[in-house]
Amino acid sequence: MHETFYIEVDEEITSIIEKLKKTQSVEVFIVVPKGALLIQSIINLKLLRKEANDLGKEILIVTQDKQGKVLVEKAGIAVG
């Protein structure tokens, strides 16, 4: 079973990581709006990927942001 997180445009990476830590689900879908802070920084994305790996969770980022998708893929995260 998976869980879906809908994040805000200005939501910080620490908040997203906390949500990831609290969920019991192994599969997590993260829905990200265009222009969100998360997908504007490769460092944030790599940090998120590392945390997910450390927790044994698989993440998928869903966004319509074309530039964000490129960064998500570069960070090694599945994108939808």
Side-chain angles (χ1 to χ4, degrees):
M1 192 74 176
H2 73 273
E3 186 166 346
T4 303
F5 298 150
Y6 295 89
I7 67 162
E8 301 294 326
V9 173
D10 59 350
E11 193 162 346
E12 297 287 332
I13 184 66
T14 52
S15 170
I16 299 165
I17 288 173
E18 279 305 309
K19 287 180 183 180
L20 194 61
K21 287 180 178 179
K22 289 179 183 176
T23 185
Q24 298 297 316
S25 299
V26 176
E27 284 186 339
V28 178
F29 298 171
I30 303 172
V31 180
V32 183
K34 277 187 175 183
L37 290 176
L38 174 65
I39 57 175
Q40 291 182 5
S41 165
I42 190 78
I43 295 168
N44 281 346
L45 291 166
K46 286 182 177 182
L47 184 60
L48 182 62
R49 186 196 70 213
K50 180 189 180 315
E51 196 66 41
N53 288 343
D54 290 350
L55 294 168
K57 299 187 187 286
E58 292 187 34
I59 56 174
L60 170 78
I61 293 183
V62 180
T63 186
Q64 295 298 315
D65 189 314
K66 290 179 182 175
Q67 289 178 330
K69 282 184 177 184
V70 171
L71 280 182
V72 171
E73 288 175 344
K74 281 185 181 179
I77 299 173
V79 67

